[in-house]
């Protein structure tokens, strides 16, 4: 008997499957995504006999079709299955218009904890069939789960196609659950068509509490047939790059450049390591931490070589909370005026962490002997950092040696050993300056009378030009100062552009940050194109030390909708003011530059107000 075309589903399961007792008083009447999956399975099974092949190692399905369903039958049938040494992972009922029904049991062998072999499936059905027939008139058969490949899952990312995800070896249709996700629709949709395992590694309450796993299992529609296989990419220089979190917004993979999605930005003041934005220029280098050596040399110094253990044991450990931002953050907004030459970042090319390590100034002064007297005598002007990936950048010596500059040789990130992705074993953290100066995998530090060589310091990559400069013929690029401190910045993270709001007060949330350690003193919001403004409430980050406010500040506000804008399209504006009382410029046009750097104009988000 086929599942009813009306797709009215009743799902019943026990709050505790350990005793295999199915409680019948939890009934859902809904248009079931699982019913759609079973119907789709039937059509696939008829055309593809491979779906009936048994895969021992996975769960299996026993279907019991009955002519007359009755209360208690599901529980009675479960007891029969238990006697056949089967674990019932889940149980469901599909009902037709009359009293006919199909009971579906997802089972594993109790002894092996795996799915049933073909012989075991046949044996189970033969042994169970007669016992079930004594409970009700009907028939019973067994089959393995439908099998889908990851490409099949990737095709299901919209409500029209069905929204599928995978977890470990299972495939799940979460279409009807998306709207009820406690974390919000936007977050769960980041995993649409993908594996949710990386997301659950961050949000471990899903596996720690158990009820999420139970709920997910109730939405299972099949097995994942082709977990990604390690392919032979030995000839590719990027083949040893680490695995990346799929929730990131990827702009490139070789080298990797990926931004933090807005949906995850305000979850925590310290950005979780797996979803930290990534800006690479080369493949991630491979380094044996025991063999790591840091060379410190240059004019006015005595050359020293330090191991990772030297840094940890010979110097006091320091911690600095700092936000790093790429100079091209929000470049996509400048691209709307005229195309620039760079990665089209949104506002997610920035993240925040608590970095642990040793102060650079203590290594330079107390170990390499770079005193202030030597700086003057040898005319030292720059400290150059050279990465093991051939990246090279520099900062002014004043920043490096300042007792208030907090420049760090970091070997920890958010309380963990520095990840390979973000510069392990040691990277430079230069709070308040453009991200490119925070060199990863640093292998050499040099005191110099000149700034670093290379395109990221002396080339056009991180230099700003006038809006009227469209090409660089006749321009002496080296005479243009390289970017260091960044200007004040803010953005609206919630609500998202294009969303619809119904309340008369709009809840607005976002972040603000300024370079040079300048803290945020105010964030203003406007709904009427800047005619009037209200001030947001500053949240996490508001109490940082004066002129050492290296991390971003979160803010939020409840903004009343004027009567004149109710039921209309609304553009929300935000601007931040830092401790120097610098504020963001109004429009992007005067900021446009060939490289698309330092876009910090008022951030604008257009939404629709729905007036009932």
């Amino acid at each position: 008997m086929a599942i009813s075309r009306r797709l009215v589903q009743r799902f019943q399961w026990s709050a505790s499957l350990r005793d295999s007792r199915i409680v019948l008083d939890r009934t859902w009447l809904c248009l079931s995504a699982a019913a759609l999956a079973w119907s789709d399975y039937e059509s696939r099974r008829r055309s593809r006999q491979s779906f009936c092949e048994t895969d021992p190692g996975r769960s299996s399905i026993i279907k019991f079709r009955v002519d007359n369903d009755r209360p208690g039958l599901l529980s009675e049938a479960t007891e029969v299955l238990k006697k056949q040494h089967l674990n019932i992972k889940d149980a469901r009922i599909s009902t037709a218009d009359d009293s006919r029904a199909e009971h579906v049991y997802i089972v594993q062998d109790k002894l092996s904890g795996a799915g049933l072999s073909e012989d075991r499936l046949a044996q189970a059905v033969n042994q169970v069939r007669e016992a079930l027939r004594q409970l009700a008139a009907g028939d019973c058969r067994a089959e393995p789960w439908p099998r889908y490949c990851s490409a099949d899952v990737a095709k299901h990312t919209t409500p029209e196609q069905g929204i599928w995800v995978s977890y470990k070896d299972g495939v799940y249709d979460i279409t009807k659950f998306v709207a009820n996700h406690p974390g919000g629709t936007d977050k769960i949709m980041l995993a649409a068509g993908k594996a949710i395992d990386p997301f659950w590694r961050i949000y471990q309450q899903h596996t720690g509490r158990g009820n999420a796993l139970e709920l997910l299992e109730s939405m299972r529609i099949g097995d994942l047939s082709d977990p990604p296989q390690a392919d032979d990419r030995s000839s590719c220089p990027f083949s040893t790059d680490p695995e990346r979190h799929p929730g990131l917004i990827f702009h490139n993979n070789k080298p990797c450049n990926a931004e933090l999605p807005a949906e995850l930005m305000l979850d925590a003041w310290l950005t979780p390591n797996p979803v930290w934005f990534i800006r690479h220029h080369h493949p991630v280098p491979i380094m044996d931490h025991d063999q790591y050596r840091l060379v410190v040399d240059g004019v006015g110094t005595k050359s020293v070589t330090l191991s990772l253990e030297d840094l940890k044991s010979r110097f006091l450990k320091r911690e600095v909370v700092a936000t790093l931002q790429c100079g091209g953050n929000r470049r996509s907004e400048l691209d709307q005026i005229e195309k620039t030459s760079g990665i089209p970042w949104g506002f997610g090319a920035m993240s925040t962490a608590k970095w642990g390590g040793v102060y650079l100034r203590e290594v330079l002064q107390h170990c390499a002997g770079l005193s202030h007297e030597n700086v003057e005598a040898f005319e030292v002007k720059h400290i150059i950092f050279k990465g093991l990936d051939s990246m090279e950048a520099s900062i002014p010596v004043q920043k490096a040696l300042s007792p208030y500059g907090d420049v760090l040789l970091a070997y920890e990130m958010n309380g963990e050993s520095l990840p390979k992705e973000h510069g392990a074993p040691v990277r430079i953290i230069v709070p308040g300056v453009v991200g490119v100066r925070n060199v990863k995998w640093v292998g050499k530090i040099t005191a110099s009378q000149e700034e670093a060589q290379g395109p990221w310091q002396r080339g056009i990559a991180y230099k700003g030009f006038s809006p009227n400069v469209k090409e660089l013929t006749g321009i002496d690029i080296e005479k243009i100062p390289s970017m260091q401190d960044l200007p004040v910045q803010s953005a609206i993270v919630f609500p998202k552009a294009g969303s619809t709001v119904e309340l008369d007060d709009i809840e607005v949330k976002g972040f603000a940050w300024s370079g040079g350690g300048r803290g945020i003193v105010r964030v203003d919001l406007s709904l009427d194109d800047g005619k009037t403004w209200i001030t947001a409430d500053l949240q996490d980050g508001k109490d940082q030390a004066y002129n050492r406010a290296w991390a971003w500040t979160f803010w939020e506000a409840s903004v009343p909708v004027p009567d004149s804008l109710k039921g209309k399209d609304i553009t929300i504006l935000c601007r931040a003011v830092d401790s120097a009382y610098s504020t963001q410029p109004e429009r992007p046009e005067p900021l446009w530059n060939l490289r698309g750097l330092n876009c910090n104009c008022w951030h604008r988000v257009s939404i629709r107000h729905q007036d009932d």
Side-chain angles (χ1 to χ4, degrees), residues 42-150:
E42 291 292 341
S43 61
R44 285 173 179 260
R45 185 179 64 83
R46 286 191 291 268
S47 61
R48 293 178 58 189
Q49 291 301 314
S50 60
F51 276 124
C52 293
E53 296 175 359
T54 300
D55 184 359
R58 301 179 185 272
S59 55
S60 305
I61 305 165
I62 292 179
K63 294 183 179 181
F64 177 36
R65 297 187 176 95
V66 298
D67 295 334
N68 294 285
D69 197 18
R70 57 179 170 79
L73 180 58
L74 194 62
S75 181
E76 295 172 24
T78 300
E79 292 300 318
V80 171
L81 296 176
K82 286 172 58 179
K83 293 177 181 179
Q84 302 304 320
H85 303 290
L86 299 176
N87 281 332
I88 297 88
K89 305 297 293 182
D90 193 21
R92 311 169 184 178
I93 297 179
S94 301
T95 58
D97 296 337
D98 49 24
S99 59
R100 292 175 298 169
E102 181 176 69
H103 294 212
V104 179
Y105 306 92
I106 294 90
V107 299
Q108 289 182 337
D109 185 84
K110 184 177 291 186
L111 297 178
S112 67
L116 308 183
S117 66
E118 187 171 354
D119 290 342
R120 183 77 172 92
L121 270 174
Q123 180 188 39
V125 173
N126 290 334
Q127 292 175 342
V128 167
R129 181 180 290 117
E130 291 304 320
L132 292 180
R133 282 177 175 172
Q134 294 177 17
L135 300 179
D139 193 16
C140 174
R141 66 186 177 89
E143 56 198 33
W145 274 111
R147 300 185 66 192
Y148 302 100
C149 64
S150 55

Side-chain angles (χ1 to χ4, degrees), residues 316-580:
L316 290 176
K317 178 184 173 182
R318 313 289 188 171
E319 290 187 326
V320 176
V321 178
T323 296
L324 303 189
Q325 177 183 248
C326 179
N329 202 31
R330 296 180 61 188
R331 180 181 281 126
S332 58
E333 296 171 50
L334 298 182
D335 285 341
Q336 295 176 18
I337 299 168
E338 185 176 346
K339 188 70 177 73
T340 65
S341 57
I343 298 166
W345 298 109
F347 57 72
M350 63 188 306
S351 299
T352 300
K354 177 186 285 188
W355 308 96
V358 303
Y359 281 147
L360 173 65
R361 68 174 184 269
E362 294 181 348
V363 174
L364 290 174
Q365 292 177 322
H366 305 313
C367 193
L370 184 63
S371 64
H372 289 289
E373 291 76 14
N374 282 358
V375 168
E376 295 296 327
F378 291 92
E379 298 183 344
V380 179
K381 293 183 172 58
H382 303 275
I383 302 297
I384 299 173
F385 311 117
K386 296 182 180 180
L388 299 173
D389 65 337
S390 301
M391 169 70 191
E392 184 174 338
S394 60
I395 61 173
V397 68
Q398 294 90 341
K399 173 68 174 178
L401 296 184
S402 170
Y404 309 107
D406 295 328
V407 182
L408 206 67
L409 281 161
Y411 50 74
E412 286 185 1
M413 181 179 181
N414 286 332
E416 302 175 357
S417 295
L418 191 66
K420 178 181 177 182
E421 185 81 85
H422 296 289
V426 178
R427 73 172 298 172
I428 295 293
I429 296 297
V430 191
V433 309
V434 63
V436 71
R437 311 292 170 229
N438 296 258
V439 174
K440 296 184 283 286
W441 315 290
V442 64
K444 189 173 184 180
I445 299 174
T446 301
S448 174
Q449 296 172 343
E450 298 182 344
E451 65 179 346
Q453 299 287 338
W456 302 284
Q457 194 78 33
R458 299 199 185 193
I460 69 170
Y462 291 94
K463 294 187 176 182
F465 302 94
S466 168
N468 67 306
V469 174
K470 309 296 184 181
E471 55 91 25
L472 300 176
T473 302
I475 296 177
D476 188 346
I477 296 173
E478 288 207 8
K479 290 185 177 180
I480 298 173
S482 301
M483 289 177 62
Q484 294 288 341
D485 287 5
L486 292 177
V488 62
Q489 177 71 275
S490 71
I492 299 164
V493 178
F494 180 86
K496 291 182 64 174
S499 59
T500 298
V501 298
E502 299 178 354
L503 300 179
D504 290 341
D505 291 324
I506 303 174
E507 297 300 318
V508 187
K509 300 179 182 181
F511 68 86
W513 181 77
S514 191
R518 297 179 294 275
I520 300 300
V521 299
R522 196 177 75 240
V523 174
D524 300 323
L525 301 169
S526 176
L527 302 185
D528 56 8
D529 202 29
K531 297 181 179 66
T532 61
W533 298 84
I534 72 163
T535 300
D537 296 322
L538 302 184
Q539 305 291 324
D540 295 339
K542 65 179 180 180
D543 297 323
Q544 298 177 77
Y546 180 75
N547 277 348
R548 293 172 81 180
W550 308 123
W552 58 14
T553 297
F554 288 172
W555 54 263
E556 60 184 48
S558 181
V559 186
V561 179
D563 290 340
S564 60
L565 293 177
K566 290 181 178 177
K568 297 181 179 179
D569 292 332
I570 297 175
T571 297
I572 309 171
L573 309 178
C574 82
R575 65 181 184 189
V577 179
D578 68 16
S579 60

